[in-house]
Amino acid sequence: MRDRFDMTVTYAMHNALRRELHHLARAATRAHPDPRNVLRSAAGWELFRSALHAHHTAEDDALWPSLRQALDGRPFSLVRLEAIEAEHASLALLIEAIDQALAGPDLGIDLFGELVGSLVTGLRGHLRHEEEAVFPLVQIILGKEQWEHFGRVHAQRIGADAARILPWLLDGVTGRTVAAVLTQLLPESAHHAYAHQWQPAYAVLDRWGTRGALTVTPP
């Protein structure tokens, strides 16, 4: 059965976050006197954190309250939603702890690695959990106006940093997805800027400091 709502933007965000989790895990474990130095200077960490914050706060402020209202009288489904909300809070605490670790030398390297590992594992599980347990409820229960309201809020949160987040979001996706996401998130008057300014600037960005790294071939 065809979905009631087009969730292209949401799935594009989830897939972009998954892509960056792979880079984050590698950056944090790369052979280095202190892996924190990689994240301190990595544009990829700032982009990842900004995109995740925009996405999660849009859900917290504009999607979950509407879904909670629509699920009144369905206690089992409400428990699912509450679990997702708790995951958001836990992930936000992990991001904050990592930022604190990057700000000073007090936290040991081993504990820093544990924090990053917990974020990678936790966010991967959360994205899967959300897609499997909550997105079907959105498609079945939520009203059209409520979904459109979330779409507008989500676009506004991303739009505050669209010149950086949109090329990041659309890195490696199909042309069809690019067209769909730009149509939903960006005024047509800004499409030229995306194609001729934002995307070229992103293309030369070394997000995780890997382009200058030497590749060692095993003997």
Side-chain angles (χ1 to χ4, degrees), residues 139-150:
Q139 293 287 358
I140 295 170
I141 298 295
L142 206 65
K144 183 174 182 290
E145 290 184 4
Q146 295 168 318
W147 174 251
E148 290 177 347
H149 170 65
F150 165 66

Side-chain angles (χ1 to χ4, degrees), residues 126-198:
H126 167 72
L127 296 173
R128 182 176 63 251
H129 186 196
E130 198 170 271
E131 290 168 359
E132 293 176 353
V134 177
F135 285 5
L137 293 175
V138 170
Q139 293 287 358
I140 295 170
I141 298 295
L142 206 65
K144 183 174 182 290
E145 290 184 4
Q146 295 168 318
W147 174 251
E148 290 177 347
H149 170 65
F150 165 66
R152 288 191 297 271
V153 172
H154 197 233
Q156 289 167 358
R157 300 291 165 87
I158 292 175
D161 200 10
R164 298 191 316 138
I165 291 180
L166 279 181
W168 172 92
L169 176 63
L170 298 173
D171 187 355
V173 306
T174 66
R176 178 178 296 182
T177 299
V178 170
V181 170
L182 291 183
T183 297
Q184 294 184 46
L185 294 183
L186 199 63
E188 188 174 352
S189 59
H191 287 198
H192 184 273
Y194 169 83
H196 296 279
Q197 299 175 28
W198 304 353

